[in-house]
């Protein structure tokens, strides 16, 4: 009986360390903004005028989160929310580890905008989506 309890406690402790290791790996990716990255600088689609971006999951685990897009007027700094998209991505290099999508821009007044993409990490914090090399990589939109 004591042997079974000892084995159970040992297995419980080992599992706890494994789970803690997985959680801390997720937190490292989430806190650094490294889980989701832009595959290229977001661009304007010439036919529609919408902003197009591709987001890749570089985390070693699947990610299910919101990706939101905000356009900031470069003249006055005012932000306009362009929308959010729920993404469910496989771990890095899985079958479904990236998503490409367009954000509507028709509600923007004339001007030049910096378009920022953010996502909500596992802790509920909003992270800026950066480039493959973890640099700020926002899009630029000009509304006429």
């Amino acid at each position: 009986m004591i042997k079974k309890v000892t084995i159970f406690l040992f297995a419980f402790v080992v599992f706890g360390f494994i789970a803690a290791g997985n959680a801390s790996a997720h937190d490292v990716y989430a806190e650094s903004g490294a889980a989701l990255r832009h595959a290229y600088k977001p661009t304007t689609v010439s036919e529609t005028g919408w902003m197009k971006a591709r987001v890749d999951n570089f985390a070693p685990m699947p990610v299910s989160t919101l990706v939101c897009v905000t356009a900031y007027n470069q003249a006055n700094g005012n932000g306009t929310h362009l929308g959010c998209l729920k993404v469910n991505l496989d771990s890095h290099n899985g079958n479904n580890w990236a998503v490409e999508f367009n954000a509507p821009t028709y509600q923007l007044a004339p001007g030049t905008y910096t378009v920022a993409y953010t996502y909500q990490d596992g802790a509920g914090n909003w992270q800026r989506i950066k480039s493959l090399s973890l640099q700020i990589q926002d899009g630029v939109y000009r509304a006429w």
Side-chain angles (χ1 to χ4, degrees), residues 37-40 42 52-56 97-101 129:
R37 300 185 202 171
H38 285 299
Y40 53 80
K52 182 177 188 175
R54 176 180 156 155
V55 176
D56 298 347
W97 68 285
V99 64
E100 190 170 76
F101 58 93
I129 298 177

Side-chain angles (χ1 to χ4, degrees), residues 15-81:
F15 178 78
F17 282 121
I18 291 170
N22 288 342
S24 64
H26 177 71
D27 291 343
V28 168
Y29 277 93
E31 290 170 10
S32 68
L36 298 184
R37 300 185 202 171
H38 285 299
Y40 53 80
K41 184 173 180 138
T43 60
T44 304
V45 177
S46 58
E47 298 81 27
T48 63
W50 289 25
M51 288 299 299
K52 182 177 188 175
R54 176 180 156 155
V55 176
D56 298 347
N57 178 18
F58 275 77
M61 71 285 297
V63 171
S64 178
T65 188
L66 285 175
V67 171
C68 294
V69 185
T70 305
Y72 296 94
N73 188 306
Q74 291 182 359
N76 59 25
N78 291 339
T80 302
H81 176 73

